[in-house]
Amino acid sequence: MSYDVMVIGSGPGGYAAAIRCAQLGLRTAVVERAELGGTCLNWGCIPTKALLKSAEVFRYASHAAEYGVDIAAGAMKADLPKMVARSRGVAEQMSKGIDFLLKKNKVEVIVGTGSLTEVPHTVAVTAGDGTTAIYEARHIILATGARPREFPSIPVDGRRVITSRHALTLTNLPESMVVIGSGAIGAEFATFFGTLGTKVTIVEYAPNLAPLEDEEISKLLERAFRKAKIAVMTATEVKQVAVDEAAGLCRVSVAGKKGEQVLEAEVVLSAVGIAANTEGIGLEAAGVRIERGKVIVDEHYRTSVEGVYAIGDLIPTPALAHVATAEAIHCAEFIAGLAPEAVDYAVVPSCIYTTPEVASVGLTEAQATERGYTMRVGRFPYTASGKATAAGNRDGMVKLIFDAETDRLLGAHLFGLNVTEMVAEPALGLTLGAKAEDVIRTIHAHPTMSEGVMEAAAAAYDEAIHL
C-alpha cells in the first residue's frame, strides 16, 4: 500500500497534519498505536481540564453561602472516582471526535506502532499481534509526541511516586502530596488536589513558580497558592525521593533556602518536564539527525533525511499542543507545494489553568529589558473590574508591555479568572503589530474581564478611566 503522506502519531500535531494534507488532495494515512488524539486529548490537556472543572465546582459549592446559596452541612463531598470517571469520559468523547474528523476527511487510520526503516520512503507498522506490514509514502511526518520525564533520584513506581498520567486515574484522595515542578503540569495538579483537601507542597528548583512566566505574575501565583494553603518552596533542589512502604509515605530530601530538610508525604507527583518519544521509531535506521534528545529540522520541518519531517514535541520548539498544530499545518501546506509563512515562535500563547489562571504571550518585562527596549507598562487589577467583583474573583491583573519608542505591543501577562480565554486578543495584537492606541480605541464590551486588556493599555499611557 502506498500513500502521498503517512503521519506517525495522532496527537494535536499528527491529526492536524493528516487532515490538512487530505484537504489539499493528498492521499494520507495516520498511524496510531493507542487512542486517537494522542497524549493531549487522552492523558494531558483535556482530561486535566475536566478534573479542574470538577474542582472548580467543588470550590464554588464550598463558598456557596457567599453567593446566597445554602447547602446543608454534610451534603457536599468530593467524590474523586466520579471526577476521574467524568474526566475519562470527556477524553473518550474527544478521541471519538478525532476519529470522526479523520473519516470525514478520508484519512486512513492504521492501528499499530509505526517506524521508519532503512529503505527510504517506507514505514513499518507493527500490529498488536506482533505482525509487521510495510507501507510506502512519498512524505512521512513524525509526530510521536512526548512522555513525562523521569530521573533516577525520583523513582516512579506508579503508586507512591507518580507522574501526571498516574494522577489522572487516582481513585483515593491522598492526605498529603509533594509536587516536584511548578510548570503547567505541576501547578495545575497542585491546584486540583489542594482544592479537594490534600495537603500539598510544591517544590520548584527555579527562584520563582512557573519560571517561564513574567516574574510579577509568578509572585502573584505564589501568593495565591499560599492563600489556598498550598505550601511553596522555590529555589529548592530535590536530592532524593525514598518510599517507606511500612510507614505508607514518601520521604523527599531537599536543599533550599533553609538548608537541607526532609519532607514527608503520602504521594509524590513528579512534574519535571517531558521527554520526546524518539525511541522505537526508526530514527537511527533511517539516519535522522538528533541532538539532545530532539529531532533537528529546518523551517519547513524537514529532517536530515529527504522525505521525512518532524513536528511537535519531537523537535526543539515549545512543547505545546497549539504549537504542534501550527507546525503541522505549515508542514502539510509545504508538502502540498504551497508557500506557507513560517511559524512565528515569538507569538506563542502560554496558559496555566490554576486558580486563578495564568496566561501570557510575547516578551516578559525582563526579556524586554535584556533586549534594550524602553518600555511603557500598564497594569489593571481585577479589584477595579466590575465583572470580576460580581463573580467574586477579584484576585487578578492584566499587564501589558509596550515599546515606548514605537508604542507597539511587546508582551501581555494575565493572572485571574478566565484569562486563558482572554490571551487571544493580545496574541492577535502582536501578530498584527498593534500599537497601544489600537487596543485603547477598540470598544470592549462591558462588563467583561477582557475590558482589563483595554484598561491596562490605557494605564500604560495614563489614560485609564477606572483606575
Side-chain angles (χ1 to χ4, degrees):
M1 186 72 71
S2 64
Y3 299 91
D4 294 319
V5 181
M6 288 192 73
V7 184
I8 301 178
S10 71
Y15 77 73
I19 290 173
R20 188 67 184 121
C21 283
Q23 288 175 341
L24 293 168
L26 300 171
R27 187 181 185 197
T28 307
V30 62
V31 182
E32 177 54 63
R33 65 184 180 186
E35 308 95 340
L36 290 173
T39 296
C40 176
L41 267 69
N42 295 284
W43 298 102
C45 320
I46 300 303
T48 55
K49 303 312 163 285
L51 289 178
L52 286 164
K53 187 63 180 183
S54 292
E56 181 185 41
V57 172
F58 180 78
R59 184 174 59 255
Y60 272 119
S62 300
H63 295 273
E66 298 173 15
Y67 295 86
V69 178
D70 293 326
I71 297 178
M76 184 191 72
K77 72 170 186 174
D79 190 324
L80 184 58
K82 288 183 178 179
M83 291 181 179
V84 168
R86 176 181 181 273
S87 170
R88 301 314 309 151
V90 169
E92 183 180 354
Q93 182 179 5
M94 296 305 297
S95 182
K96 289 179 179 177
I98 300 304
D99 186 33
F100 167 79
L101 291 173
L102 292 170
K103 288 177 179 176
K104 174 187 174 185
N105 287 279
K106 297 180 173 58
V107 174
E108 184 174 342
V109 176
I110 302 172
V111 179
T113 300
S115 64
L116 303 174
T117 75
E118 295 178 355
V119 180
H121 304 287
T122 62
V123 174
V125 179
T126 302
D129 61 6
T131 59
T132 299
I134 303 297
Y135 299 84
E136 295 180 355
R138 291 192 298 122
H139 306 278
I140 302 166
I141 302 174
L142 304 175
T144 53
R147 63 188 182 279
R149 184 182 297 277
E150 296 185 23
F151 290 96
S153 59
I154 311 173
V156 173
D157 62 12
R159 292 179 58 256
R160 295 291 180 188
V161 184
I162 64 174
T163 66
S164 56
R165 183 155 181 151
H166 304 117
L168 285 168
T169 55
L170 286 183
T171 53
N172 294 311
L173 187 66
E175 290 186 8
S176 57
M177 174 182 287
V178 169
V179 177
I180 304 174
S182 71
I185 295 171
E188 289 175 12
F189 275 112
T191 295
F192 174 72
F193 286 106
T195 300
L196 299 189
T198 298
K199 181 182 178 182
V200 176
T201 299
I202 188 164
V203 181
E204 172 56 55
Y205 180 79
N208 299 300
L209 293 180
L212 298 181
E213 299 298 327
D214 185 87
E215 183 176 349
E216 188 173 0
I217 300 299
S218 295
K219 292 187 181 302
L220 290 176
L221 178 61
E222 180 174 341
R223 186 184 71 180
F225 272 173
R226 294 187 188 280
K227 185 177 178 181
K229 298 181 180 179
I230 295 173
V232 175
M233 300 178 71
T234 54
T236 301
E237 179 183 3
V238 174
K239 295 287 190 178
Q240 185 71 41
V241 176
V243 177
D244 185 339
E245 287 290 357
L249 54 78
C250 301
R251 293 188 174 89
V252 184
S253 301
V254 301
K257 301 171 186 176
K258 297 180 180 180
E260 295 189 359
Q261 54 185 308
V262 177
L263 310 176
E264 293 186 348
E266 185 179 334
V267 172
V268 172
L269 170 59
S270 177
V272 289
I274 60 173
N277 291 325
T278 57
E279 303 88 350
I281 57 173
L283 298 180
E284 296 82 1
V288 174
R289 181 184 168 204
I290 306 174
E291 288 184 7
R292 298 181 180 180
K294 296 282 188 175
V295 176
I296 302 304
V297 296
D298 67 8
E299 70 275 17
H300 301 302
Y301 308 103
R302 293 177 292 191
T303 70
S304 58
V305 175
E306 191 272 329
V308 178
Y309 306 75
I311 58 174
D313 295 352
L314 273 182
I315 67 176
T317 55
L320 297 166
H322 42 286
V323 172
T325 299
E327 293 168 347
I329 293 171
H330 176 105
C331 184
E333 293 180 350
F334 177 78
I335 288 172
L338 305 182
E341 291 188 11
V343 173
D344 186 357
Y345 293 103
V347 188
V348 174
S350 172
C351 297
I352 305 177
Y353 299 82
T354 46
T355 301
E357 294 177 343
V358 175
S360 63
V361 64
L363 298 180
T364 65
E365 194 168 351
Q367 289 169 338
T369 299
E370 289 172 2
R371 299 187 187 190
Y373 285 104
T374 302
M375 293 169 284
R376 281 182 174 269
V377 180
R379 299 173 179 83
F380 185 75
Y382 266 31
T383 51
S385 166
K387 182 66 179 294
T389 301
N393 291 273
R394 304 181 77 207
D395 188 8
M397 179 183 74
V398 178
K399 175 180 179 178
L400 299 184
I401 302 170
F402 296 94
D403 180 351
E405 294 183 6
T406 65
D407 293 333
R408 289 191 181 277
L409 179 65
L410 297 176
H413 306 278
L414 301 84
F415 178 75
L417 181 66
N418 288 345
V419 297
T420 58
E421 303 294 339
M422 295 161 53
V423 72
E425 179 184 352
L428 179 61
L430 284 167
T431 297
L432 298 178
K435 295 185 176 183
E437 188 75 4
D438 299 321
V439 181
I440 296 169
R441 298 307 174 206
T442 297
I443 298 175
H444 288 64
H446 174 80
T448 59
M449 306 292 187
S450 61
E451 287 176 291
V453 176
M454 174 188 68
E455 293 279 7
Y461 292 82
D462 300 320
E463 297 178 16
I465 298 299
H466 295 98
L467 282 179

